[in-house]
């Protein structure tokens, strides 16, 4: 279940994985998070720092596809686990996508980067 | 970073409903994973890992992807349901009670065309013992406070000391009434406060409600046998102390003792198992 790059940030164990892009090159990131603490921890996928890099080195700040405006910071109960899969629509073709896993729980930055997957 | 993650499914608890996910199939873009799922979690540095996430079916809804914004069955953040909703808890257990014999109730027993009124009488200051099954549903409040509704049902386990005093007579005198058994039913409202420790929690609470004792009698009037019952209800006001240990973050076992503040020789002791919708009752 915790496949991909694993990061411990605050109380959270976070696994971040880039899945196969959607048609049109929209990157898809799957997050799995487990709370190793007994108390609740913040999981803020709305404000997670996600950056895409094009082949020529330009950086693009990515925001998740959220047509229903559902994505928001929530609390994950102690000893609990959850997962979400988010798409990040972008017009440019991205060679790399980087996620600050620490920002998911408002902790110190811990970047993990992924090259284009699938296809 | 290489710490292995051990995921332990919380089995046998009522909390499975807080797990997200669905039984939906997953197609393009989903990578075969369920989205928005949740479940019990523990972490360790061991090298072994296993995973499980309960996935309740979404009625009549088939997912083709688990990507937020594209999926149709599950909304975002179902793994946080138990934090969005108020803390609730349920408990069930057993209690041993001692209380003064409830007497004074009246009833009638009918034999053929004749009815006989009788009154339940008992020795002065006699104490009954009862064993009851208890159940409680409660809601947590800020600062460790909680309120709950509690019910119990059981029976008198000590020899029944009550008898019947006939108040009317018939053509052939009065029936002979013998007490057979006595049932106990109670309902209470609870307000308390509890605090969490390393391995468990301690609490004190006030309990107010009613207790009903229904005594069944066999009535013999010549060769005619009938049965009758009499109910007696009293108010209950108790203070209790309770302590429990965590079996896992959502399940605890505990014991409680209490005493009436309005009756002499009226006390209880009980054991229970409790389940809470948040880890460690949300107290840590």
């Amino acid at each position: 279940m915790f496949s991909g790059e694993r990061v411990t940030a605050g109380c959270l164990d976070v696994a971040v994985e880039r899945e196969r892009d959607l048609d049109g090159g929209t990157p898809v990131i799957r997050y799995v998070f487990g709370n190793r603490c007994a108390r609740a921890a913040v999981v803020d996928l709305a404000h997670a720092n996600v950056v895409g890099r094009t082949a020529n080195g330009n950086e693009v700040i990515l925001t998740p596809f959220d047509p229903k405006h559902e994505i928001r910071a929530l609390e994950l109960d102690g000893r609990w686990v959850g997962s979400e899969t988010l798409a990040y629509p972008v017009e440019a073709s991205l060679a790399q996508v980087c996620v600050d896993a620490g920002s998911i729980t408002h902790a110190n930055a811990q970047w993990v980067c992924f090259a284009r997957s699938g296809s | 970073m290489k710490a292995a993650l051990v995921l332990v499914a919380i089995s046998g608890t009522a909390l499975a409903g807080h797990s997200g996910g669905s039984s939906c199939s997953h197609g393009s873009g989903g990578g075969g994973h369920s989205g928005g799922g949740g479940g019990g979690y523990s972490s360790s540095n061991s090298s072994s890992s296993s995973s499980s996430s309960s996935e309740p079916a979404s009625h009549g809804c088939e997912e083709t992807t688990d990507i937020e914004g594209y999926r149709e069955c599950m909304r975002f953040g179902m793994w946080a349901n138990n934090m969005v909703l108020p803390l609730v808890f349920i408990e069930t257990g057993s209690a041993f009670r001692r209380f003064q014999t409830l007497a004074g109730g009246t009833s009638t027993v009918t034999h053929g065309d004749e009815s006989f009124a009788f009154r339940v009488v008992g020795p002065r200051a006699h104490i009954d013992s009862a064993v009851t099954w208890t159940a409680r549903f409660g809601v947590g409040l800020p600062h460790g406070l909680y309120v709950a509704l509690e019910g119990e049902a059981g029976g008198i386990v000590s020899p029944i000391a009550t008898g019947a005093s006939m108040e009317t007579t018939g053509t052939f005198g009065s029936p002979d009434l013998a007490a057979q058994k006595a049932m106990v039913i109670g309902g209470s409202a609870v307000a308390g406060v509890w605090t969490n420790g390393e391995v468990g929690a301690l609490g004190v609470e006030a309990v107010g409600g009613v207790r009903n004792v229904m005594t069944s009698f066999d009535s013999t009037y010549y060769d005619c046998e009938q049965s009758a019952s009499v109910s007696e209800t009293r108010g209950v006001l108790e203070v209790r102390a309770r302590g429990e240990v965590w079996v896992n973050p959502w399940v605890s076992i505990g014991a409680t003792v209490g005493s009436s503040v309005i009756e002499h020789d009226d006390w209880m002791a009980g054991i229970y198992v409790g389940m809470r919708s948040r880890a460690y009752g949300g107290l840590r």
Side-chain angles (χ1 to χ4, degrees), chain B residues 66 134 196:
Chain B
D66 64 347
T134 62
N196 214 341

Side-chain angles (χ1 to χ4, degrees), chain A residues 1-2 6-7 13 19 30 33-36 38-40 65 70 72 75 77-86, chain B residues 1 5 7 29-30 33-34 36-41 43 68 71 75-77 79-80 82-83 250 278-279 284:
Chain A
M1 182 176 185
F2 281 81
R6 299 173 181 176
V7 170
D13 291 330
E19 300 194 334
R30 173 170 169 78
F33 28 87
N35 186 351
R36 60 169 59 222
R39 64 182 184 278
F65 180 60
E70 294 179 306
R72 64 194 188 282
E75 284 193 310
D77 198 7
R79 310 294 188 192
W80 205 240
V81 66
S83 63
E84 291 290 349
T85 305
L86 305 183
Chain B
M1 220 47 59
L5 303 167
L7 177 65
H33 297 293
S34 62
Y41 177 71
S43 62
E68 168 64 17
R71 65 192 186 212
R75 57 182 172 76
F76 176 82
W79 38 268
N82 66 327
M83 299 301 293
W250 299 275
R278 294 183 188 172
R284 291 190 177 181

Side-chain angles (χ1 to χ4, degrees), chain B residues 84-206:
Chain B
V84 175
L85 300 172
L87 165 67
V88 296
F89 59 91
I90 56 173
E91 295 174 356
T92 184
S94 183
F96 176 79
R97 290 190 165 280
R98 296 271 286 170
F99 53 86
Q100 292 190 25
T101 299
L102 300 184
T106 60
S107 184
T108 60
V109 59
T110 301
H111 289 274
D113 296 332
E114 297 183 274
S115 289
F116 304 89
F118 65 96
R119 176 182 299 276
V120 175
V121 295
R124 294 177 66 87
H126 184 267
I127 304 298
D128 279 329
S129 298
V131 172
T132 60
W133 167 78
T134 62
R136 162 186 294 204
F137 174 81
V139 178
L141 303 173
H143 310 299
L145 299 171
Y146 61 88
V147 293
L149 294 175
E150 182 179 272
E152 63 178 331
I156 302 290
V157 294
S158 57
I160 297 175
T162 52
S165 173
M166 301 307 301
E167 299 197 326
T168 58
T169 60
T171 305
F172 304 103
S174 298
D176 292 325
L177 267 68
Q180 296 301 308
K181 60 184 178 182
M183 305 292 291
V184 179
I185 298 175
S188 306
V190 181
V193 60
W194 65 322
T195 182
N196 214 341
E198 278 296 311
V199 297
L202 298 172
V204 292
E205 60 191 25

